Amino acid sequence: LLVIVIFKLVNNDAVINKTGLVFYFDKQVNENDFTIFGQPFSLTEPIDFHKDISSGKSFPLHFSKTIDMRTDKFGSAKTVWEVNRLEFLLPLLINYTISGDKSKLDLFVKIMSDWDEQNPYMKGLNWYSNIEVNIRLINWYWCWLLLESDPIWQTEEKYAEFRANTWLPLIYKHCHYSAKNPSFFSSANNHLIAEYTGLFLASTLWQFKESSKWMKKSKAGLEREIILQHSKKGINREEASAYIQFITDFFLVSYVAAQHHGIPFSKQYEEKLIDICGYINNFLDSKGQTPRYGDDDDGRMILPDANMQTNNFLSILNSSAVLFNKPALKRANANWDVKSQLLTAHINGKEQWEKLPADTKEAGSVFYKEEGHFIIRKKTDDKEIYCHFDAAPLGYLSIAAHGHADALSFLLYADGCPFLVDPGTFAYHTHSDWRKYFTSTLAHNTITIDKTDQALLAGPTLWLNHYRCKVLEASITPEKDTIVASHDGYSSKGIVHTRSLEFDRVSDTFTLTDMIEGGEGNHLLNMPFHLHPAVTATKKSDNTWLLTHSATATTIEISFENDVTVNLVKASDTEKMGWYSESFMKKEKSSTLLGERPYTEKLVNLQTTIKIINSY
């Protein structure tokens, strides 16, 4: 079957909706330190937009939809896409607005022209995924606004020619592709949100003949998806904590662009955004860190400061505190950031943020019973005990693409230092064995039966046989926090796992009780406790271990039942357990305390005690 795609670019005499915005930035950003999944990336060297810089392989310039991107035959599609989001253009232009260095403007034009030349419409990997098309549109929206009031950009003929003959036609092609290739059915997750955002921003700023139709469609889609993809209390349904900042940004910049052009969203949309930011504020620990669950691929919508290490969750809270006049979202330890400066320039955001009183109230435990997310917190001065317990669904829609098989797992931080952790993600479509491990039940702090998963991973981002969690009890008192929940992920074995987690707020002790019920024949129970690489585990007695962290004097003592055999498993070249992935495509050796016990009876209760020492 020969598929011939003919694309004819119609009238490109777009009308540009001027915003009149003038952006001010305090200092230049580190454009030369831009990295792609930890690898340095130079803007001054010629860029091959089809090359995977991690493997050196390149994707072919075929019709986009026929390219094999689900294996590593041509390299990592994710790495290529990360380059082609063109997020390095925005910091380049920010520095131009500060310095007036025309070479930066010329470099911007060269990179864009090279991209246009190397990526004919519908050919190559960069026309494969609609989310990538729209992330480029979003970045171009902000690039255009930065240049809107620049006299050199507006008056010199070569730049006018570039706009008319390269950039505007490229924008139109992206809009056309975005409108014609929406992600529906099982993929209508964060991809669909990104697609609506890109099309909405584009149709507010650049008026092509279809723009009115595109705006109506994309705005209605954003209004719908912010409700569908979040719980009543604002928790994203993808069940991937790192994706929360990524997804929230799409809704946030759409809200800002609507303000730029006088196109208001509904009150319901605004209220849901505030709910989302409220969850973010509750979820972060005292240092603004985000304990992880589900996938983490380092995804950012825009990166105006060129720094992947910037805390985008705190940036969202900064922007939202100003946009919605919510002092409770301004954290006392937060600093104003480049992205917030960009998003709130139309309302003099920095000046307003400095006038807002910071929230100094000591945060306590917060339970989201219906959603299955539980935050246990005890905070005094600079000391904090933080625990996140997960009794949530596997993920969103039928494929639950970015969830992990982590029912009834938990994470534990002390004084802002991670002790018991989620090992991370590492990879998606490449390194299939590692993908299977990092998403597995055994890679999370919960009970596994026969070292099998609570659900079936049928593809890199495809789950079958989703488990169901049930919250049986959830209470917060001045003396004790209690959660009891169960899941049916091992129903094929006739086994139900129920976990009780109690936190004694007086003695700083967690009591973990795991009830395993049902099943026939012989089974093996495993209870892993995954340790952060900065944590050292020392055996105190047969079944008691002491955990120390290099960044705090606080220690944690874990005591297991006598009939549980406990071993410290250290990561190695032949042992996947114990590996830790702090960011996408990177992993390092750590260790895991692994409890093990045969299960032959019909009912067993295992009790584990976790005591925080020297925290108070």
Side-chain angles (χ1 to χ4, degrees):
L1 177 64
L2 177 64
V3 179
I4 301 176
V5 178
I6 300 175
F7 181 83
K8 183 178 180 182
L9 187 60
V10 294
N11 181 17
N12 267 324
D13 296 327
V15 174
I16 312 301
N17 289 336
K18 300 283 186 179
T19 64
L21 283 170
V22 177
F23 294 90
Y24 172 77
F25 300 97
D26 295 319
K27 58 183 179 180
Q28 293 200 36
V29 297
N30 296 321
E31 68 186 62
N32 296 324
D33 294 334
F34 203 89
T35 61
I36 303 293
F37 299 139
Q39 297 187 65
F41 185 78
S42 173
L43 303 187
T44 57
E45 298 293 327
I47 301 172
D48 180 348
F49 288 104
H50 304 281
K51 183 178 180 179
D52 167 16
I53 63 172
S54 61
S55 69
K57 298 179 181 179
S58 292
F59 283 80
L61 197 62
H62 296 164
F63 174 57
S64 61
K65 301 300 182 182
T66 65
I67 294 175
D68 178 9
M69 49 69 64
R70 296 191 177 278
T71 69
D72 59 1
K73 179 180 180 181
F74 303 116
S76 166
K78 190 80 174 65
T79 304
V80 175
W81 284 336
E82 196 72 17
V83 172
N84 284 272
R85 289 180 174 184
L86 305 181
E87 292 173 330
F88 43 75
L89 295 177
L90 189 50
L92 178 66
L93 289 183
I94 286 174
N95 284 348
Y96 167 69
T97 66
I98 296 170
S99 67
D101 181 354
K102 197 174 170 183
S103 68
K104 297 183 185 298
L105 190 56
D106 290 335
L107 180 57
F108 168 79
V109 170
K110 183 183 187 313
I111 292 171
M112 288 284 291
S113 299
D114 287 350
W115 195 95
D116 185 45
E117 184 179 342
Q118 291 183 37
N119 291 276
Y121 188 71
M122 293 305 294
K123 283 191 174 182
L125 184 69
N126 298 317
W127 290 106
Y128 182 99
S129 173
N130 203 2
I131 185 174
E132 305 304 323
V133 167
N134 283 277
I135 289 176
R136 285 193 290 275
L137 275 177
I138 294 164
N139 277 271
W140 290 342
Y141 176 91
W142 292 102
C143 289
W144 191 285
L145 291 191
L146 281 179
L147 295 172
E148 188 178 66
S149 60
D150 182 68
I152 294 176
W153 174 256
Q154 294 298 339
T155 57
E156 290 201 13
E157 185 177 342
K158 67 177 181 179
Y159 300 128
E161 183 180 342
F162 165 77
R163 287 195 302 275
N165 297 331
T166 301
W167 200 2
L168 278 172
L170 201 51
I171 289 166
Y172 182 82
K173 291 174 190 176
H174 278 64
C175 290
H176 183 272
Y177 184 100
S178 175
K180 295 295 183 182
N181 295 275
S183 296
F184 286 144
F185 307 112
S186 61
S187 296
N189 51 14
N190 66 86
H191 286 233
L192 187 59
I193 295 168
E195 291 155 15
Y196 285 140
T197 301
L199 197 58
F200 178 73
L201 265 64
S203 55
T204 62
L205 183 58
W206 302 293
Q207 294 295 296
F208 303 103
K209 68 176 185 178
E210 302 96 334
S211 292
S212 178
K213 177 178 67 176
W214 291 339
M215 184 191 297
K216 183 178 179 181
K217 171 187 174 181
S218 55
K219 183 173 181 293
L222 287 164
E223 292 269 12
R224 180 177 63 252
E225 295 304 319
I226 198 171
I227 303 302
L228 288 177
Q229 298 201 37
H230 292 89
S231 73
K232 290 181 180 180
K233 294 183 178 179
I235 301 181
N236 186 264
R237 299 187 190 277
E238 290 244 37
E239 298 304 334
S241 60
Y243 268 68
I244 293 172
Q245 56 81 24
F246 185 58
I247 291 167
T248 303
D249 263 350
F250 291 119
F251 290 114
L252 196 61
V253 299
S254 298
Y255 182 83
V256 169
Q259 291 189 335
H260 287 167
H261 302 287
I263 310 165
F265 278 95
S266 69
K267 186 67 175 175
Q268 185 183 35
Y269 183 97
E270 180 179 313
E271 289 173 347
K272 185 57 67 178
L273 253 178
I274 293 171
D275 289 341
I276 293 167
C277 294
Y279 175 67
I280 290 173
N281 197 27
N282 285 330
F283 184 61
L284 302 185
D285 75 357
S286 60
K287 291 187 177 179
Q289 299 173 114
T290 315
R292 295 185 298 186
Y293 55 83
D295 274 344
D296 181 357
D297 63 5
D298 299 348
R300 298 290 185 92
M301 182 197 64
I302 57 175
L303 200 62
D305 63 359
N307 185 0
M308 278 300 303
Q309 304 307 312
T310 302
N311 189 323
N312 195 40
F313 284 96
L314 289 179
S315 176
I316 288 170
L317 293 182
N318 283 344
S319 299
S320 300
V322 172
L323 288 167
F324 306 121
N325 191 29
K326 295 289 184 182
L329 299 179
K330 180 181 178 181
R331 290 205 160 201
N333 58 351
N335 296 311
W336 189 246
D337 62 286
V338 176
K339 178 167 158 282
S340 294
Q341 181 72 1
L342 186 76
L343 265 58
T344 64
H346 62 298
I347 55 172
N348 297 317
K350 184 178 182 182
E351 182 180 337
Q352 293 196 41
W353 186 80
E354 288 174 343
K355 292 178 181 177
L356 284 177
D359 184 16
T360 56
K361 182 180 65 177
E362 293 289 6
S365 298
V366 184
F367 286 4
Y368 295 89
K369 183 177 179 180
E370 291 184 12
E371 294 90 343
H373 287 282
F374 302 87
I375 299 153
I376 295 173
R377 181 188 278 113
K378 179 179 176 181
K379 178 80 168 64
T380 303
D381 299 326
D382 62 340
K383 297 292 185 180
E384 181 188 47
I385 297 171
Y386 177 103
C387 174
H388 174 262
F389 182 83
D390 187 345
L394 177 61
Y396 185 54
L397 301 176
S398 61
I399 62 173
H402 295 296
H404 289 184
D406 57 0
L408 311 190
S409 65
F410 74 102
L411 313 174
L412 184 59
Y413 283 35
D415 308 333
C417 299
F419 277 79
L420 303 179
V421 296
D422 180 318
T425 299
F426 180 57
Y428 283 171
H429 297 106
T430 59
H431 307 84
S432 58
D433 288 347
W434 285 106
R435 174 63 175 168
K436 183 170 177 58
Y437 170 71
F438 277 107
T439 60
S440 71
T441 302
L442 198 59
H444 296 85
N445 301 324
T446 186
I447 294 288
T448 65
I449 311 293
D450 302 326
K451 294 188 176 180
T452 60
D453 291 341
Q454 300 159 340
L456 175 63
L457 186 68
T461 53
L462 171 62
W463 288 98
L464 303 177
N465 303 336
H466 296 200
Y467 54 73
R468 291 170 296 178
C469 290
K470 183 184 294 185
V471 178
L472 306 173
E473 181 184 346
S475 63
I476 300 173
T477 69
E479 296 80 26
K480 183 172 67 174
D481 295 346
T482 304
I483 311 153
V484 183
S486 66
H487 74 87
D488 63 358
Y490 292 118
S491 59
S492 63
K493 299 176 183 289
I495 293 173
V496 174
H497 173 207
T498 302
R499 169 167 276 187
S500 166
L501 182 66
E502 292 185 351
F503 175 53
D504 187 320
R505 305 182 69 85
V506 177
S507 65
D508 298 338
T509 301
F510 290 88
T511 302
L512 194 65
T513 305
D514 289 293
M515 182 173 73
I516 314 300
E517 187 174 11
E520 297 288 340
N522 298 325
H523 298 278
L524 180 69
L525 306 183
N526 281 113
M527 179 189 297
F529 291 84
H530 295 276
L531 311 181
H532 188 271
V535 172
T536 299
T538 304
K539 192 173 184 178
K540 188 176 179 180
S541 63
D542 284 347
N543 275 42
T544 298
W545 292 75
L546 195 64
L547 308 182
T548 57
H549 193 291
S550 59
T552 179
T554 296
T555 59
I556 293 179
E557 184 181 88
I558 304 181
S559 298
F560 298 83
E561 292 269 18
N562 289 332
D563 57 355
V564 175
T565 301
V566 184
N567 290 297
L568 182 64
V569 180
K570 295 185 177 182
S572 70
D573 294 339
T574 58
E575 174 60 66
K576 286 185 170 61
M577 180 171 283
W579 283 91
Y580 179 79
S581 175
E582 182 67 32
S583 59
F584 201 70
M585 298 305 295
K586 294 180 70 176
K587 65 184 190 300
E588 61 183 303
K589 292 178 180 178
S590 187
S591 54
T592 303
L593 277 177
L594 182 63
E596 185 168 293
R597 180 193 189 278
Y599 174 63
T600 56
E601 53 270 71
K602 292 291 186 71
L603 175 67
V604 65
N605 283 285
L606 302 177
Q607 191 170 94
T608 309
T609 303
I610 305 170
K611 183 171 179 58
I612 317 298
I613 304 171
N614 297 330
S615 185
Y616 294 89

Coordinates of all heavy atoms in Angstrom, one line a residue, residues 434 437 529-533 535-539 545 547 566-580 588-594:
W434 N 15.2 -3.3 31.5 CA 15.3 -2.3 32.6 C 13.9 -1.6 32.7 O 13.5 -1.3 33.8 CB 16.3 -1.2 32.2 CG 17.7 -1.7 32.5 CD1 18.6 -2.0 31.6 CD2 18.3 -1.9 33.8 NE1 19.8 -2.5 32.2 CE2 19.6 -2.4 33.5 CE3 17.9 -1.7 35.1 CZ2 20.5 -2.7 34.6 CZ3 18.8 -2.0 36.1 CH2 20.1 -2.5 35.8
Y437 N 11.8 -3.8 34.8 CA 12.2 -3.8 36.2 C 11.7 -2.6 36.9 O 11.1 -2.7 38.0 CB 13.7 -4.0 36.4 CG 14.1 -3.7 37.8 CD1 13.8 -4.6 38.8 CD2 14.7 -2.5 38.2 CE1 14.0 -4.4 40.2 CE2 15.0 -2.2 39.6 CZ 14.6 -3.2 40.5 OH 14.9 -2.9 41.8
F529 N 12.6 -2.8 50.6 CA 12.7 -1.4 51.0 C 13.9 -0.8 50.2 O 15.1 -1.1 50.5 CB 13.0 -1.4 52.5 CG 11.8 -1.8 53.4 CD1 11.6 -3.1 53.7 CD2 10.9 -0.8 53.9 CE1 10.5 -3.5 54.4 CE2 9.9 -1.2 54.6 CZ 9.6 -2.5 54.9
H530 N 13.5 0.0 49.2 CA 14.5 0.5 48.3 C 15.2 1.8 48.9 O 14.5 2.7 49.4 CB 13.9 0.8 47.0 CG 13.4 -0.4 46.3 ND1 14.3 -1.2 45.5 CD2 12.2 -1.0 46.3 CE1 13.6 -2.2 45.0 NE2 12.3 -2.1 45.5
L531 N 16.5 1.8 49.0 CA 17.2 2.9 49.6 C 17.8 3.8 48.6 O 18.3 3.5 47.5 CB 18.4 2.3 50.5 CG 18.0 1.1 51.4 CD1 19.3 0.6 52.1 CD2 16.9 1.5 52.3
H532 N 17.8 5.1 49.0 CA 18.4 6.1 48.2 C 20.0 5.9 48.2 O 20.5 5.4 49.2 CB 18.1 7.5 48.8 CG 18.6 8.6 47.9 ND1 19.8 9.2 48.0 CD2 18.0 9.3 46.9 CE1 20.0 10.2 47.2 NE2 18.9 10.3 46.5
P533 N 20.7 6.2 47.1 CA 22.1 6.0 47.1 C 22.9 6.7 48.2 O 24.0 6.2 48.5 CB 22.5 6.6 45.7 CG 21.3 6.5 44.9 CD 20.1 6.7 45.8
V535 N 22.0 6.6 51.2 CA 21.7 5.9 52.5 C 22.6 4.6 52.6 O 22.8 3.9 51.7 CB 20.2 5.5 52.5 CG1 19.9 4.6 53.7 CG2 19.3 6.7 52.5
T536 N 23.1 4.4 53.8 CA 23.8 3.2 54.2 C 23.0 2.4 55.2 O 22.5 2.9 56.2 CB 25.2 3.6 54.8 OG1 25.9 4.4 53.9 CG2 26.0 2.4 55.2
A537 N 22.9 1.1 54.9 CA 22.2 0.2 55.8 C 23.2 -0.7 56.6 O 24.1 -1.3 56.0 CB 21.3 -0.7 55.0
T538 N 23.1 -0.7 57.9 CA 23.9 -1.4 58.8 C 23.1 -2.4 59.6 O 22.1 -2.0 60.2 CB 24.7 -0.5 59.8 OG1 25.4 0.5 59.0 CG2 25.7 -1.3 60.6
K539 N 23.5 -3.7 59.6 CA 22.8 -4.7 60.4 C 23.0 -4.5 61.9 O 24.2 -4.6 62.3 CB 23.2 -6.1 59.9 CG 22.3 -7.2 60.4 CD 22.7 -8.5 59.8 CE 21.8 -9.6 60.2 NZ 22.1 -10.9 59.5
W545 N 17.7 -3.4 61.2 CA 18.7 -2.6 60.4 C 18.6 -1.1 60.7 O 17.6 -0.6 61.0 CB 18.5 -2.9 58.9 CG 18.7 -4.3 58.5 CD1 18.0 -5.4 58.7 CD2 19.9 -4.7 57.7 NE1 18.5 -6.5 58.2 CE2 19.7 -6.1 57.5 CE3 21.0 -4.1 57.2 CZ2 20.6 -6.9 56.9 CZ3 21.9 -4.9 56.5 CH2 21.8 -6.3 56.4
L547 N 19.5 2.7 59.2 CA 19.7 3.4 58.0 C 20.2 4.8 58.3 O 19.6 5.5 59.2 CB 18.4 3.6 57.2 CG 17.6 2.3 56.9 CD1 16.4 2.6 56.0 CD2 18.5 1.3 56.2
V566 N 16.1 -11.4 55.9 CA 16.4 -10.1 55.4 C 17.8 -10.1 54.8 O 18.7 -10.5 55.5 CB 16.2 -9.0 56.4 CG1 16.4 -7.6 55.8 CG2 14.8 -9.1 57.1
N567 N 17.9 -9.6 53.6 CA 19.2 -9.5 53.0 C 19.4 -8.1 52.4 O 18.4 -7.5 51.9 CB 19.5 -10.5 51.9 CG 19.6 -11.9 52.4 OD1 20.5 -12.2 53.2 ND2 18.6 -12.8 52.1
L568 N 20.6 -7.6 52.4 CA 20.9 -6.3 51.8 C 21.4 -6.7 50.3 O 22.4 -7.2 50.2 CB 22.0 -5.6 52.5 CG 22.3 -4.2 52.0 CD1 21.2 -3.2 52.0 CD2 23.6 -3.6 52.7
V569 N 20.6 -6.3 49.4 CA 20.9 -6.6 48.0 C 21.5 -5.3 47.4 O 20.9 -4.2 47.4 CB 19.6 -6.9 47.2 CG1 20.0 -7.2 45.7 CG2 18.9 -8.1 47.8
K570 N 22.7 -5.5 46.9 CA 23.4 -4.3 46.3 C 23.4 -4.4 44.8 O 23.6 -5.5 44.2 CB 24.9 -4.3 46.8 CG 25.0 -4.0 48.3 CD 26.4 -3.8 48.8 CE 26.5 -3.5 50.2 NZ 27.9 -3.3 50.7
A571 N 23.2 -3.3 44.1 CA 23.1 -3.3 42.7 C 24.5 -3.7 42.1 O 25.5 -3.4 42.6 CB 22.8 -1.9 42.2
S572 N 24.4 -4.4 41.0 CA 25.6 -4.9 40.3 C 25.3 -5.0 38.8 O 24.2 -4.8 38.4 CB 26.1 -6.2 40.8 OG 25.3 -7.2 40.4
D573 N 26.3 -5.3 38.0 CA 26.2 -5.5 36.6 C 25.2 -6.6 36.3 O 24.7 -6.7 35.2 CB 27.5 -5.7 35.9 CG 28.4 -4.4 36.0 OD1 27.8 -3.3 36.2 OD2 29.6 -4.6 35.9
T574 N 25.1 -7.5 37.2 CA 24.2 -8.7 36.9 C 22.9 -8.7 37.8 O 22.1 -9.5 37.7 CB 24.9 -10.0 37.2 OG1 25.4 -10.0 38.6 CG2 26.1 -10.2 36.3
E575 N 22.8 -7.7 38.7 CA 21.7 -7.6 39.6 C 20.9 -6.3 39.4 O 21.5 -5.2 39.6 CB 22.1 -7.7 41.0 CG 21.1 -7.5 42.1 CD 19.9 -8.5 42.0 OE1 20.2 -9.7 42.2 OE2 18.8 -8.0 41.6
K576 N 19.7 -6.3 38.9 CA 18.9 -5.1 38.7 C 18.4 -4.5 39.9 O 18.3 -3.2 40.1 CB 17.7 -5.4 37.7 CG 18.2 -5.6 36.3 CD 17.0 -5.8 35.4 CE 17.4 -5.7 33.9 NZ 18.3 -6.8 33.6
M577 N 18.0 -5.3 40.9 CA 17.5 -4.7 42.2 C 18.6 -3.9 42.8 O 19.8 -4.3 42.9 CB 17.1 -5.8 43.1 CG 16.6 -5.3 44.4 SD 15.8 -6.6 45.5 CE 14.2 -6.7 44.6
G578 N 18.3 -2.8 43.3 CA 19.2 -1.9 44.0 C 19.6 -0.7 43.1 O 20.2 0.3 43.6
W579 N 19.3 -0.8 41.8 CA 19.6 0.4 40.9 C 18.7 1.5 41.2 O 17.5 1.3 41.5 CB 19.6 -0.1 39.5 CG 20.8 -0.8 39.1 CD1 21.0 -2.2 39.1 CD2 22.1 -0.3 38.6 NE1 22.3 -2.5 38.7 CE2 23.0 -1.4 38.3 CE3 22.5 1.0 38.3 CZ2 24.2 -1.2 37.9 CZ3 23.8 1.2 37.8 CH2 24.7 0.1 37.6
Y580 N 19.1 2.7 41.0 CA 18.3 3.9 41.2 C 18.5 4.9 40.0 O 19.6 5.1 39.6 CB 18.8 4.6 42.5 CG 18.0 5.9 42.9 CD1 16.8 5.8 43.4 CD2 18.6 7.1 42.6 CE1 16.1 7.0 43.8 CE2 18.0 8.3 43.0 CZ 16.7 8.2 43.5 OH 16.1 9.4 43.9
E588 N 22.2 4.7 38.7 CA 23.3 4.5 39.5 C 23.1 3.4 40.5 O 21.9 3.0 40.8 CB 23.7 5.8 40.3 CG 22.6 6.3 41.2 CD 23.0 7.7 41.8 OE1 24.0 7.7 42.5 OE2 22.2 8.6 41.6
K589 N 24.2 2.9 41.1 CA 24.0 1.8 42.0 C 23.6 2.2 43.4 O 24.1 3.2 43.9 CB 25.4 1.0 42.1 CG 25.7 0.3 40.8 CD 27.1 -0.4 40.9 CE 27.4 -1.2 39.6 NZ 28.8 -1.8 39.7
S590 N 22.7 1.5 44.0 CA 22.3 1.7 45.3 C 22.0 0.4 46.0 O 22.7 -0.6 45.6 CB 21.0 2.6 45.4 OG 20.7 3.0 46.7
S591 N 21.1 0.2 46.9 CA 20.9 -1.0 47.5 C 19.4 -1.2 48.0 O 18.7 -0.2 48.1 CB 21.8 -1.3 48.7 OG 21.8 -0.2 49.6
T592 N 19.0 -2.4 48.3 CA 17.7 -2.7 48.8 C 17.7 -3.6 49.9 O 18.4 -4.7 49.8 CB 16.8 -3.3 47.6 OG1 16.8 -2.4 46.5 CG2 15.4 -3.6 48.0
L593 N 17.0 -3.3 51.0 CA 16.7 -4.3 52.0 C 15.6 -5.2 51.6 O 14.5 -4.7 51.3 CB 16.3 -3.6 53.3 CG 17.5 -3.1 54.2 CD1 16.9 -2.4 55.4 CD2 18.4 -4.2 54.6
L594 N 15.8 -6.5 51.4 CA 14.8 -7.4 50.8 C 14.4 -8.4 51.9 O 15.2 -9.3 52.2 CB 15.4 -8.1 49.6 CG 14.4 -9.0 48.9 CD1 13.2 -8.2 48.4 CD2 15.0 -9.8 47.7

